[in-house]
Amino acid sequence: EVQLVESGGGLVQAGGSLRLSCAASGFTFDDSTIGWFRQAPGKERDWVSFIVGDRGTTYYADSVTGRFTISKDNAKNTVYLQMNSLKPEDTAVYYCAARSVATMEIPPRPRHFENWGQGTQVTVSE
């Protein structure tokens, strides 16, 4: 059974930083796609960033390019999302998502992923 457990969310002022973690069990990062969606109140779940395959090719939504960095630690089976220069519009529940194929649609959609974490709240104040 695949489990994804997010942590690291919280309240931060605009311009601040947070690092999210997604610990995976029952799942290996080889030949996989894993990363993050986010969903603000009343809005659709949008993709944020993904890391794909053994080479760790990374993808970022335009809204976070240059501010967020995704990385993974294969030994710990954990993916990280370093979020810098946070803005109030980054406020959302952030969800870790994964699937066991190393391919990436642009843009990725929630329906493309069969494994999800419970979500972690990120709130950025003015």
Side-chain angles (χ1 to χ4, degrees), residues 11-13 20-21 29 34 40 42 44 59 67 73 77 79 83-84 96 105-106 113:
L11 173 64
V12 65
Q13 287 187 329
L20 305 183
S21 300
F29 288 173
I34 187 165
E44 293 186 350
Y59 298 84
R67 300 186 298 122
D73 184 332
N77 241 32
V79 172
M83 306 185 295
N84 298 329
C96 183
E105 296 84 2
I106 301 295
F113 294 83

Side-chain angles (χ1 to χ4, degrees), residues 10-116:
L11 173 64
V12 65
Q13 287 187 329
S17 299
L18 285 173
R19 188 177 79 156
L20 305 183
S21 300
C22 174
S25 60
F27 183 85
T28 57
F29 288 173
D30 294 344
D31 297 323
S32 70
T33 300
I34 187 165
W36 302 88
F37 283 85
R38 68 185 180 185
Q39 188 166 20
K43 295 189 176 181
E44 293 186 350
R45 191 169 296 191
D46 292 329
W47 78 284
V48 176
S49 179
F50 280 85
I51 191 163
V52 180
D54 292 346
R55 293 184 177 182
T57 305
T58 58
Y59 298 84
Y60 297 94
D62 290 344
S63 59
V64 306
T65 297
R67 300 186 298 122
F68 291 10
T69 303
I70 191 169
S71 61
K72 63 178 180 175
D73 184 332
N74 288 343
K76 295 182 178 180
N77 241 32
T78 300
V79 172
Y80 304 98
L81 186 67
Q82 178 67 42
M83 306 185 295
N84 298 329
S85 301
L86 282 161
K87 304 175 181 180
E89 51 263 44
D90 294 317
T91 296
V93 178
Y94 283 69
Y95 295 93
C96 183
R99 64 183 189 186
S100 54
V101 291
T103 59
M104 182 74 177
E105 296 84 2
I106 301 295
R109 304 292 188 189
R111 66 177 183 269
H112 298 149
F113 294 83
E114 67 269 18
N115 301 299
W116 291 87

